[in-house]
Amino acid sequence: LQKSLSETFGADQYSRVRKEVLTYMFSRPMQMALYFCTGVLEDETLFHHYALNVPFYTHFTSPIRRYADIVVHRLLSASLGARSPLKMEKEAIQKQADHCNDRKMASKRVQELSADLFFSIFVRVRP
């Protein structure tokens, strides 16, 4: 995709911006990753990571960034025996995961709407 976009747009002053806009627009429909508690899902094929082609996958970043990452760190530490298990039922963990997914989706939607707004302003002022 990147090669095709580069060949199509050339090297004028706006080509880089046009490529970025189209790359963004192409990646928008991709399915977002969702947080879930493995204990509430019976189908282990849902743990599969499509792009990496691995059967079991978990992802987290620095726990200073998001609450969901703190939970993943705590659960991983407990599963490795580095800390005591969390005193949460799996349904409560799933409820937290659902809330984190809702907030992430809302944030993404606001980001998309903001980008759409500024792109339309850019198009309006640049003939």
Side-chain angles (χ1 to χ4, degrees):
L1 177 63
Q2 190 65 30
K3 181 181 175 189
S4 178
L5 288 173
S6 295
E7 290 172 358
T8 303
F9 286 116
D12 70 320
Q13 64 179 357
Y14 295 114
S15 64
R16 183 184 61 79
V17 174
R18 285 193 297 267
K19 282 189 284 189
E20 285 181 24
V21 168
L22 283 177
T23 301
Y24 171 74
M25 291 173 76
F26 288 142
S27 65
R28 270 173 97 172
M30 296 174 114
Q31 183 179 1
M32 285 182 59
L34 296 175
Y35 295 108
F36 61 91
C37 176
T38 58
V40 299
L41 297 180
E42 302 213 3
D43 184 2
E44 287 188 1
T45 62
L46 296 172
F47 306 168
H48 183 263
H49 190 285
Y50 176 79
L52 296 176
N53 195 25
V54 293
F56 299 101
Y57 179 81
T58 189
H59 172 82
F60 54 89
T61 60
S62 169
I64 63 170
R65 293 189 57 206
R66 294 185 293 250
Y67 177 70
D69 296 318
I70 293 171
V71 173
V72 171
H73 274 252
R74 289 176 180 168
L75 290 169
L76 186 57
S77 293
S79 71
L80 295 172
R83 66 168 285 148
S84 58
L86 292 181
K87 293 179 175 31
M88 290 177 72
E89 296 294 322
K90 58 187 174 187
E91 292 78 13
I93 294 171
Q94 183 58 49
K95 187 175 179 181
Q96 289 294 321
D98 291 339
H99 178 73
C100 290
N101 290 331
D102 290 344
R103 297 293 84 214
K104 185 168 70 166
M105 293 293 200
S107 173
K108 182 171 175 51
R109 184 68 183 135
V110 169
Q111 179 183 5
E112 290 172 351
L113 290 170
S114 175
D116 290 347
L117 173 66
F118 285 99
F119 180 67
S120 53
I121 291 169
F122 174 78
V123 169
R124 182 177 288 168
V125 299
R126 301 268 187 210

